[in-house]
Structure formats: structure tokens, C-alpha cells
Amino acid sequence: MDVIHLQKAFAFIAKGLVEKEKLLKDTPNRYPYSRDLQRGINMFLAACLELGGMCEDTFKYADESSFLAHYICKPICEWFNDWDKNVLQSLKINEQPFYEYGPFAFRRGKTNLYTPTEECIEFLNTQERNIIEGTDEHALYEKIIRLSQEDYVKVREYIIEHPVITVDDRRAFLLEYADNTITKDAFNLAYEQFEERYTRCPACGWTMTENDYGVSCVSEYCLEHLPVIPDSDWNDASSEPVFRLKKGVMRYFAQPGKLEMEIAKYCQKHALDYSLWPQKDTFDIEIRFSDGEIWEIDAKAYHNARSLCSKIKQDGGFPAGNYKYGFYVVPTEYTKNKRNYTAVVNKELVSQSNVKCVTLSGIKKKINQKVGELNG
């Protein structure tokens, strides 16, 4: 048993939390039991005994409700508070990719229900393929990668720009692609019917809802600077149903896609030659300057720099190609109050000297500088 065991334990806990949320939505009158969550709990508690030197009193947290109440709303580093300090030092626990994550969930008011945090979902997205298989975003990716380059771009653009659609919108899209089974399947994988009271989130454009434990959206970050929403902005989808992107699709396709589209629009503004998603998902944007220089861009919407580092490592670094520079671009606001964000990621990229992590404002500045050099 080693840190790999712990990594997998956290992965199953994260997957289980996401699964529980989906089960609760699909069958609200049944308790959302997740085998993966219990598997992760068992693995973590076994590590507490075998690695952490904790006594058998640890088993009082073996049932799901006790474990969640004790651990799940704490930062991951605090899960190890009772471990033997010498063991933690030998495991180099503070250097492990999971150690710096915040809480994996927050409690819904006074209920015994929990909502996965953004950090939980980011962590899950950095894990091995066999763990994340079955998620909505993974299923969608496996479908659209089979499309032609032209259809791939059209479908992905549509998903990014339409987080919520009407019944008529859905009918029009399916009619347009009536003879393309893969595209229709991808579209149906991306969207789900929604029949609750909602308003369009001013931050991301998805369905923001309100219930007994407050307002919720695709991410808790949507709620950080939430303005007062007048009653007139709320819609009742029970009488006029809409279709919305599934939560995982919104989080991992649409939200990063907004960043990609903003960079594309900036290229248009400067009349640059560019392509969205060249070779499908190899890169997000390719910019071809008039002197023949090529830049490849991979947009990433990770709030946690360690999450992005883990993802880069999992992917084997920035893809090879015929480019002068490669850039991982993150939203500028994600680095607010995290001045070392890009420095942490760039430390992971030392072996690729022509690849850097920059913010959206940073890539715009670099594009301006390059255009200025070309124009003399």
C-alpha cells in the first residue's frame, strides 16, 4: 500500500460524489448510494490503519454518512491530521498531487446531502481513463471524435454557444443533421430535458436554480459575485420545457470552450489566420502568422494549478507538432489572488522550453506584440 493507493481512493471518492449527485437528480425519492464512493471510503480508511498508524477507532467512519460528515467538507490536507508525522514525511505527502485540494463537497443546508465542489470535479478529470469512464463528458468526447473535421467544429461550437436551448432549437438541429447518426447521437448525449424553475446564470449562461438549500449552478464560482436576480428573470420550465447541457458537458466542454471562442474572436479582430480545434482535439487553436510562424494553444479552465499540472502530466505534456510556440491558456480571473499559478504550471513544463502557461490577458499581449513586430 502506497501513495498510489491513496490517489485511487480519492479518485473513487470524487467519482462517487459526482455519481450521487446524478442519482439524486434522476431518482430524488431514493437515497443515492454509490458503490464507488464506498469503495473509496474503504480504501482511505484502510490506508489510515496500515499507513497512517491510526487505531481501529477509525472504523467509526466506515459508513458513508459518518465519513462524509467527518471528512468531506475539510481540505484534503486536514484528512491527514491524525496520521503519524514520520509516515507523512516518508510518503512526502505534501508533494502529492491530491494534497493541496480543498474540500470535495459542501453540505446542502441542514440536510445530509452534499454537492461536489469544483475542486472535486477538477480532481476527477485528472484521473485515469478507467476511473472517469461513464461520465457524460467522456461519452460525448468518444462520440464526437468520430465526426469529420467540419462536423466536429460545428457541433462543438454549437454546444459552447448554446448551454440552454428550446424545444424548437433542438428540433431544428436534429432536422439539419437528420442523415448524420453520429452527430444526432452526440447532440442527444450532450443535452437533457429540464423542467424546473430556473434563471440563466449571469456568469456561465447555464440553468441557475433555487431550492431549500439556496441557489446552485454548474460551479460554486458562479455564485461568488451573484447580483440580485429580479423575479421577472425566473422561468418556469415545467410549463415550457427546455433542454440544457448535462452538468459534466457544461463544465468540461462549454466552459473551457468560452475561453477558446474568446481567443478565436481576438484572432479575428487582428485578421489573423487561425483554426479552431485543428486535427480535432490535438490543439484548441492554431494561429498562423504571416512570417510562417505557428502557435498552438490549449485552453484550460482549471481553478487549481495542481489540477492542471496533473492533467498535463497525464496527457504526456504538450503535444508535439510543427509549431514555434505552444501555450496553455487559463482564464485571467482564475489566477486572481494566486500570483504563482502560472509559475507552478510552468515548473511542470521545464522540459518543453517552447511551451508556457499564460493567462488570457497574457496571450492577448503576446499576440499584440507579435502583430506589432510584423507590422514594423
Side-chain angles (χ1 to χ4, degrees):
M1 190 177 289
D2 53 17
V3 290
I4 301 300
H5 175 95
L6 281 169
Q7 180 88 6
K8 289 183 177 179
F10 286 119
F12 282 116
I13 289 170
K15 184 180 180 183
L17 289 168
V18 173
E19 182 181 30
K20 278 174 69 69
E21 185 180 43
K22 187 175 187 301
L23 289 170
L24 184 63
K25 180 177 73 70
D26 294 341
T27 54
N29 296 322
R30 293 182 58 188
Y31 184 78
Y33 176 77
S34 166
R35 289 185 179 180
D36 282 325
L37 176 58
Q38 191 62 56
R39 180 179 179 182
I41 290 171
N42 294 343
M43 290 175 70
F44 179 75
L45 295 181
C48 288
L49 287 171
E50 186 171 331
L51 294 176
M54 294 175 64
C55 65
E56 292 188 3
D57 192 45
T58 301
F59 284 122
K60 67 184 179 182
Y61 303 122
D63 68 280
E64 182 184 291
S65 59
S66 298
F67 183 90
L68 294 177
H70 182 71
Y71 284 105
I72 213 66
C73 296
K74 297 177 181 179
I76 298 302
C77 61
E78 294 183 15
W79 292 31
F80 299 95
N81 281 353
D82 297 325
W83 280 43
D84 183 281
K85 299 299 184 288
N86 292 326
V87 171
L88 294 177
Q89 188 174 359
S90 67
L91 292 173
K92 298 182 179 179
I93 203 72
N94 62 337
E95 297 178 17
Q96 302 307 318
F98 51 76
Y99 188 73
E100 294 188 9
Y101 280 82
F104 268 13
F106 58 86
R107 195 168 185 171
R108 298 184 179 184
K110 297 180 180 180
T111 71
N112 65 341
L113 301 174
Y114 297 84
T115 297
T117 62
E118 189 82 1
E119 297 220 11
C120 171
I121 297 169
E122 284 190 0
F123 177 81
L124 179 60
N125 193 48
T126 66
Q127 300 310 295
E128 298 173 2
R129 180 178 292 268
N130 66 328
I131 293 176
I132 66 171
E133 279 180 354
T135 57
D136 293 324
E137 59 273 21
H138 177 79
L140 177 62
Y141 175 79
E142 291 296 308
K143 184 65 68 173
I144 68 170
I145 202 69
R146 296 166 54 194
L147 294 171
S148 68
Q149 178 67 30
E150 181 181 358
D151 287 338
Y152 179 92
V153 171
K154 286 182 179 179
V155 171
R156 194 158 180 171
E157 279 186 316
Y158 189 95
I159 288 172
I160 292 168
E161 295 175 347
H162 299 85
V164 181
I165 60 175
T166 65
V167 173
D168 288 341
D169 292 333
R170 179 175 182 271
R171 184 182 299 114
F173 184 96
L174 292 176
L175 281 174
E176 181 179 352
Y177 290 93
D179 298 326
N180 191 324
T181 302
I182 298 176
T183 298
K184 289 191 296 181
D185 288 347
F187 186 79
N188 288 325
L189 278 171
Y191 289 92
E192 63 184 3
Q193 189 165 338
F194 183 74
E195 299 181 352
E196 300 175 27
R197 184 173 181 267
Y198 75 98
T199 186
R200 295 291 293 272
C201 174
C204 71
W206 200 54
T207 52
M208 180 173 283
T209 59
E210 188 174 27
N211 42 47
D212 293 340
Y213 45 85
V215 176
S216 63
C217 193
V218 70
S219 164
E220 66 265 26
Y221 292 99
C222 293
L223 313 180
E224 286 187 348
H225 306 290
L226 185 65
V228 176
I229 301 173
D231 289 341
S232 58
D233 285 355
W234 289 88
N235 307 290
D236 184 5
S238 63
S239 57
E240 190 175 347
V242 295
F243 286 82
R244 69 174 184 180
L245 292 177
K246 294 176 182 176
K247 190 170 186 178
V249 175
M250 180 66 195
R251 173 64 186 84
Y252 288 109
F253 271 73
Q255 284 193 310
K258 292 179 187 298
L259 179 60
E260 296 156 5
M261 297 301 290
E262 186 165 352
I263 298 170
K265 289 176 182 177
Y266 199 75
C267 291
Q268 288 179 341
K269 177 182 176 181
H270 289 278
L272 297 176
D273 182 21
Y274 76 95
S275 298
L276 272 167
W277 310 298
Q279 304 169 58
K280 297 183 182 176
D281 204 35
T282 305
F283 304 104
D284 291 328
I285 298 175
E286 180 177 279
I287 304 175
R288 297 172 291 273
F289 293 98
S290 59
D291 63 352
E293 189 168 294
I294 296 174
W295 293 6
E296 301 289 4
I297 294 173
D298 192 354
K300 297 293 187 185
Y302 286 86
H303 287 270
N304 189 316
R306 295 293 180 189
S307 296
L308 180 50
C309 289
S310 296
K311 183 61 176 172
I312 291 170
K313 190 174 181 179
Q314 182 189 44
D315 292 343
F318 204 83
N322 184 30
Y323 54 84
K324 180 70 176 292
Y325 296 110
F327 297 98
Y328 288 107
V329 179
V330 298
T332 305
E333 62 270 22
Y334 284 16
T335 65
K336 187 178 181 181
N337 301 322
K338 301 175 186 176
R339 294 184 178 179
N340 66 337
Y341 185 111
T342 54
V344 168
V345 179
N346 284 325
K347 189 176 179 180
E348 186 73 28
L349 300 171
V350 290
S351 62
Q352 294 183 283
S353 58
N354 63 333
V355 177
K356 298 295 180 189
C357 176
V358 298
T359 62
L360 175 61
S361 60
I363 195 65
K364 288 180 177 180
K365 183 177 179 180
K366 288 182 178 294
I367 289 172
N368 282 338
Q369 291 173 339
K370 179 64 179 178
V371 171
E373 292 171 6
L374 293 173
N375 293 338

